Amino acid sequence: MGFSANGKQCLLPEEALYLMECGNLQVFHQDLPLSIQDGYEKFLSANTVSLQQYQVFGHLKRLGYVVLRFDPSSESSSYARQLNLPQSRDRAGRQLKRKRSLSPAPSSTPTATCSRAEAQEECSTEKMEEDKCSEGEEDIKLPEPPEAQSSADEGGGRSWWMMDVLGDSDKDSGHGSKSGSSCWDFSSISFPDLGSTSREHFPSDLAPPDPSLLPGDLKVGFCDIAPWRQKINLRQVKMSANEQKREKYRRRWDVNKNREVRRCRNWAEYQELMARRKGKREGRPAHLWNREVTPLHDPTQPIATGELLEKISVIKPTHLLEGASRLKDADDWRICFNVYQPNTVADFKKSNPGKPYSRMCVCSFDDPVPDLRAIKLLAYQSGDIPVVIAVVDYGDISFYTFKDFQLPTDVYP
Amino acid sequence: MEALSCGERRLGSEEEYAAPAVGVSLCDSAPLVWRMQDLRAVRAEGLVGALLGSLPRTPRQNGRLGRPLLLLPEEEGLLRERRAAAALPDRCQDWGGAELRQKHEEEEKRSFEEQSVLALEDRKLALLRAMTGAESGATSADEALRRRLQALDQNFTFPQSAMAVQLSTARAGLSYCPEARAFLQAYGPPGAEPRCDARYQVFRDLRGRGFYLTSAGKFGGDFLVYPGDPLRFHAHFIAVCVSLDESVCLLDVLAVARLGSNVKKTVLLCSPGPDARVCYTSLQWSGMI
């Protein structure tokens, strides 16, 4: 308590009044001692210390705190505090650590990248399954052209090219060869299946084909199939039960069985359907990416979760001191006191008080609630020490404080 | 403010004649009551007020506070209406004048003499107690004590710095400036209009019904309503003053109902109506069981 000025020990009016109330001080004015009532009436006014502020002062002093007046000019700027106080260094260190944890982590494991790369290949899903399941097998070569597989499976032929066939099988070969417009009926011509593994279709040699099918005077004799068959790999593929099931489904797959395909009336629509499917598969549907307004982020590009959240966020988080330095001083909200913890708890010396425990701002319940502007101003004036608002209600004092709070983001990079 | 002195005891010596008007003095535009008889009169009127100062016996605690008593503006208005409040002069007349200083010095001297007599008696008693404590015959220490006792009467001095002084709480208690028995003129012109705002109307009506009211800022309302003296009862109601033509947001009603139910008090929505009647609506949280 008290200060020295001009070589004399002086007391502030609220301190003098408090000591008078405790019975430790007698104040004389013109050689006559003052009563407490005189003290109240002379020391407390709206210009110096108001009655409400004195109530808060007395309340805190009776609890044991050290309460000093707040002097805004004696507060160091935030930059000066950064240079001197060790606490601010810790906070900077903590901020750095937080920044480091937000940076994107090194990318995923090799298997994950491998599977993503495979997904980007232009192959049908069934082929991908086959690739995976055949890793142990040397028999199947990757990738096999789909046409060869499908032709090997065909029992009956596809019918769409048959629509172009106009000719009938009864045509005389003599007529047909000259005219050129005669098409052959491929369903009646037997093409031998040399790759067939079933025994009954296995003749030792082939009969010569119908001379009408051959051009000119070409004469073909019997053909020995054996050396040809040796060149063909006819070993049975060893498949597990799963693989056999998958084989069965694949044999039955027909692109024309798909309802969407059947809905296409011409090639252009079918190509559109293929493009749509490709876009969906790859994550870049055409109807989203072909316009002026495109999605914020291409899902095929890798990005850390934290960065993605920041990219799509509409409301950016802000902290209390943002923009506070630009605010001009307001008259109504002022910090009155610095409150320090007593010497038993913290080191308090009049020459070196240290950091206050909190700063007090006094108002009453009739006053309006402080708006964001007032709170920002008070927080800026106070620096890093919380501002407590003491609301005086005719004898009761309630303390309120506003704390800065950042919503946690559930991101584990 | 009474320092612990062995001499003076401040009894209610002003009890002989209760002034008809309560002395109210303004401090920073707040009405404060300082004199003991005034505080008793205010309580007798059924007005509670709030004590602000340190309690003289135990100054360093916040549980029980002492004078001055702060009056609510509604309480002051009620006193004014009943012609029962008077403004105390804000300074002793002729402060710093020679007469007052002389009075003060005389008072000090008288007190000093009283205290020195009492101090001498105290010291003698202490020595006697020390002597009678050693009952086993006349030892040498006993002899020394008896000699000291005899010497005491001659050369005992009571130093000035050891004197206890009294700090008076009210200006009326100052020894040189007694206002205790001042007859005060109640203020306010005759037939003054009572205040017509909602809070005052509600306060007057509830007080008229015998309830005691205090301020309820920390409960989110205007007044706390007690069925009797607050020292004997808990509050039953939280009164919130709303004017009849004001529309209230439902969320505010819910908020105040929640507050009230959390502290087990009924919320009273009070609206002063025409011809000085007040309309009350109570909110109580009832669970669906």
Side-chain angles (χ1 to χ4, degrees):
Chain A
M1 295 215 159
F3 58 98
S4 37
N6 306 330
K8 292 197 217 165
Q9 271 291 99
C10 303
L11 284 174
L12 292 168
E14 66 268 17
E15 296 171 341
L17 190 54
Y18 174 71
L19 286 173
M20 278 170 72
E21 285 202 292
C22 288
N24 295 6
L25 184 75
Q26 214 177 10
V27 178
F28 285 87
H29 176 62
Q30 292 175 334
D31 295 328
L32 292 170
L34 294 179
S35 64
I36 310 271
Q37 181 176 0
D38 287 319
Y40 265 76
E41 286 168 12
K42 289 191 189 345
F43 298 165
L44 304 182
S45 74
N47 310 333
T48 57
V49 183
S50 72
L51 180 64
Q52 289 175 349
Q53 288 172 349
Y54 177 70
Q55 273 181 267
V56 174
F57 178 86
H59 180 93
L60 292 170
K61 290 242 28 127
R62 284 190 284 264
L63 286 174
Y65 289 99
V66 176
V67 187
L68 299 177
R69 278 201 193 170
F70 175 74
D71 180 16
S73 55
S74 72
E75 288 300 311
S76 48
S77 71
S78 55
Y79 179 62
R81 275 195 293 266
Q82 256 180 327
L83 294 178
N84 298 334
L85 298 179
Q87 285 99 324
S88 47
R89 227 188 288 132
D90 279 353
R91 200 174 322 111
R94 258 188 277 133
Q95 267 178 359
L96 277 176
K97 276 197 210 136
R98 219 186 295 139
K99 268 222 172 87
R100 255 187 257 126
S101 70
L102 274 181
S103 65
S107 63
S108 38
T109 58
T111 52
T113 49
C114 177
S115 61
R116 227 186 288 133
E118 280 184 2
Q120 285 170 9
E121 279 173 15
E122 292 200 24
C123 52
S124 57
T125 46
E126 19 138 48
K127 214 160 78 65
M128 203 163 68
E129 285 171 0
E130 233 187 53
D131 292 343
K132 283 209 188 108
C133 69
S134 66
E135 270 168 7
E137 319 273 341
E138 322 139 6
D139 307 324
I140 297 204
K141 311 216 179 353
L142 325 161
E144 289 181 28
E147 298 85 346
Q149 287 176 339
S150 46
S151 65
D153 300 337
E154 286 304 305
R158 291 183 191 212
S159 53
W160 58 268
W161 66 75
M162 297 302 289
M163 294 196 297
D164 300 329
V165 174
L166 303 171
D168 46 343
S169 45
D170 304 68
K171 260 211 191 102
D172 208 6
S173 54
H175 287 265
S177 54
K178 274 295 177 206
S179 61
S181 67
S182 70
C183 297
W184 295 344
D185 179 18
F186 290 104
S187 56
S188 59
I189 306 169
S190 68
F191 284 92
D193 180 13
L194 293 189
S196 156
T197 51
S198 45
R199 289 282 157 181
E200 52 230 34
H201 296 174
F202 185 57
S204 53
D205 49 7
L206 284 177
D210 193 353
S212 61
L213 298 172
L214 296 170
D217 295 322
L218 192 60
K219 292 251 187 328
V220 178
F222 276 91
C223 176
D224 185 15
I225 313 174
W228 292 110
R229 281 187 70 91
Q230 269 171 15
K231 290 185 185 161
I232 299 175
N233 176 10
L234 293 168
R235 269 182 285 169
Q236 199 88 20
V237 174
K238 298 191 245 321
M239 285 192 278
S240 68
N242 262 354
E243 290 157 5
Q244 281 175 359
K245 210 178 0 176
R246 258 187 251 132
E247 241 335 271
K248 197 172 62 174
Y249 281 124
R250 212 174 41 74
R251 277 168 208 272
R252 283 199 257 145
W253 179 76
D254 181 4
V255 71
N256 287 328
K257 286 189 192 158
N258 192 305
R259 205 181 329 134
E260 284 180 327
V261 173
R262 273 215 287 271
R263 243 186 264 134
C264 301
R265 288 165 298 177
N266 50 35
W267 265 117
E269 286 183 14
Y270 183 68
Q271 274 174 339
E272 271 177 27
L273 173 66
M274 287 293 110
R276 261 206 314 276
R277 281 190 184 167
K278 178 173 161 209
K280 207 191 319 178
R281 199 170 49 230
E282 291 178 353
R284 281 185 70 113
H287 66 275
L288 287 181
W289 286 93
N290 290 347
R291 304 193 187 160
E292 313 139 5
V293 183
T294 56
L296 266 178
H297 179 70
D298 185 1
T300 55
Q301 303 302 317
I303 189 173
T305 319
E307 282 180 18
L308 182 62
L309 277 177
E310 245 177 86
K311 225 175 165 181
I312 65 176
S313 71
V314 175
I315 304 172
K316 301 277 181 210
T318 176
H319 53 274
L320 187 60
L321 289 174
E322 197 170 300
S325 51
R326 282 185 269 114
L327 290 171
K328 279 198 283 286
D329 235 346
D331 270 338
D332 33 2
W333 291 98
R334 243 181 251 282
I335 299 178
C336 308
F337 301 116
N338 289 342
V339 180
Y340 299 85
Q341 283 180 309
N343 215 358
T344 48
V345 180
D347 284 324
F348 175 79
K349 281 198 277 276
K350 268 203 319 203
S351 51
N352 178 24
K355 251 175 61 157
Y357 179 64
S358 75
R359 299 200 210 261
M360 278 296 148
C361 185
V362 179
C363 69
S364 85
F365 271 113
D366 300 326
D367 295 337
V369 179
D371 52 357
L372 182 62
R373 189 176 176 281
I375 297 170
K376 277 195 190 233
L377 206 60
L378 290 174
Y380 182 67
Q381 279 178 353
S382 160
D384 46 355
I385 295 157
V387 175
V388 176
I389 301 183
V391 187
V392 181
D393 172 40
Y394 298 108
D396 284 321
I397 306 177
S398 318
F399 297 96
Y400 298 95
T401 182
F402 290 93
K403 280 201 176 129
D404 207 2
F405 175 71
Q406 304 288 329
L407 284 176
T409 51
D410 203 6
V411 172
Y412 295 96
Chain B
M1 169 60 212
E2 298 180 352
L4 285 170
S5 78
C6 46
E8 315 211 308
R9 299 269 181 263
R10 262 254 174 255
L11 297 173
S13 56
E14 311 89 302
E15 255 166 340
E16 27 177 312
Y17 173 63
V22 168
V24 174
S25 52
L26 287 177
C27 164
D28 189 20
S29 66
L32 297 179
V33 180
W34 286 96
R35 307 187 298 176
M36 272 314 299
Q37 76 267 33
D38 291 338
L39 264 88
R40 261 186 250 120
V42 164
R43 199 51 170 247
E45 294 261 353
L47 304 174
V48 181
L51 290 167
L52 298 187
S54 306
L55 195 63
R57 295 276 163 179
T58 45
R60 286 197 165 83
Q61 46 86 31
N62 278 317
R64 286 260 170 259
L65 296 177
R67 285 180 286 164
L69 183 80
L70 174 65
L71 295 175
L72 292 176
E74 289 81 29
E75 290 173 338
E76 199 210 346
L78 204 62
L79 285 175
R80 196 192 291 253
E81 194 184 304
R82 294 179 190 172
R83 312 296 313 284
L88 274 178
D90 59 342
R91 55 169 52 239
C92 204
Q93 285 101 333
D94 189 32
W95 185 277
E99 190 187 324
L100 284 184
R101 241 175 295 175
Q102 197 182 12
K103 260 204 222 169
H104 169 66
E105 277 166 22
E106 284 171 12
E107 184 65 35
E108 289 260 311
K109 211 152 59 150
R110 193 184 61 76
S111 164
F112 179 71
E113 280 162 15
E114 256 189 58
Q115 285 186 41
S116 37
V117 166
L118 289 167
L120 179 58
E121 281 182 25
D122 254 0
R123 183 71 74 86
K124 282 190 189 165
L125 274 173
L127 282 175
L128 278 171
R129 236 177 290 128
M131 281 198 327
T132 53
E135 275 279 337
S136 58
T139 60
S140 61
D142 245 8
E143 274 301 316
L145 281 170
R146 209 173 286 119
R147 258 179 276 128
R148 271 173 67 186
L149 196 58
Q150 282 157 1
L152 203 53
D153 273 320
Q154 280 86 28
N155 36 15
F156 174 75
T157 49
F158 184 57
Q160 187 84 16
S161 56
M163 185 181 88
V165 293
Q166 182 177 39
L167 270 162
S168 173
T169 309
R171 197 183 304 120
L174 286 174
S175 51
Y176 51 88
C177 184
E179 281 177 346
R181 282 172 279 284
F183 188 79
L184 300 162
Q185 183 69 33
Y187 54 52
E193 283 293 318
R195 288 168 47 183
C196 46
D197 57 331
R199 278 182 63 126
Y200 182 68
Q201 301 281 351
V202 171
F203 184 92
R204 204 153 62 102
D205 191 63
L206 285 172
R207 179 80 277 283
R209 290 167 194 260
F211 293 104
Y212 285 66
L213 295 127
T214 54
S215 160
K218 59 184 194 281
F219 285 95
D222 286 315
F223 300 112
L224 275 180
V225 184
Y226 296 80
D229 197 288
L231 287 172
R232 294 168 60 206
F233 296 92
H234 279 300
H236 281 188
F237 305 108
I238 303 173
V240 179
C241 301
V242 194
S243 70
L244 272 179
D245 47 5
E246 180 190 330
S247 66
V248 184
C249 171
L250 183 63
L251 290 176
D252 292 340
V253 173
L254 279 174
V256 80
R258 268 281 192 191
L259 276 174
S261 68
N262 274 352
V263 292
K264 298 193 191 56
K265 299 190 202 303
T266 309
V267 176
L268 269 186
L269 298 177
C270 317
S271 317
D275 58 283
R277 295 189 50 153
V278 186
C279 174
Y280 298 101
T281 314
S282 70
L283 297 175
Q284 248 182 341
W285 192 282
S286 72
M288 302 272 284
I289 302 176

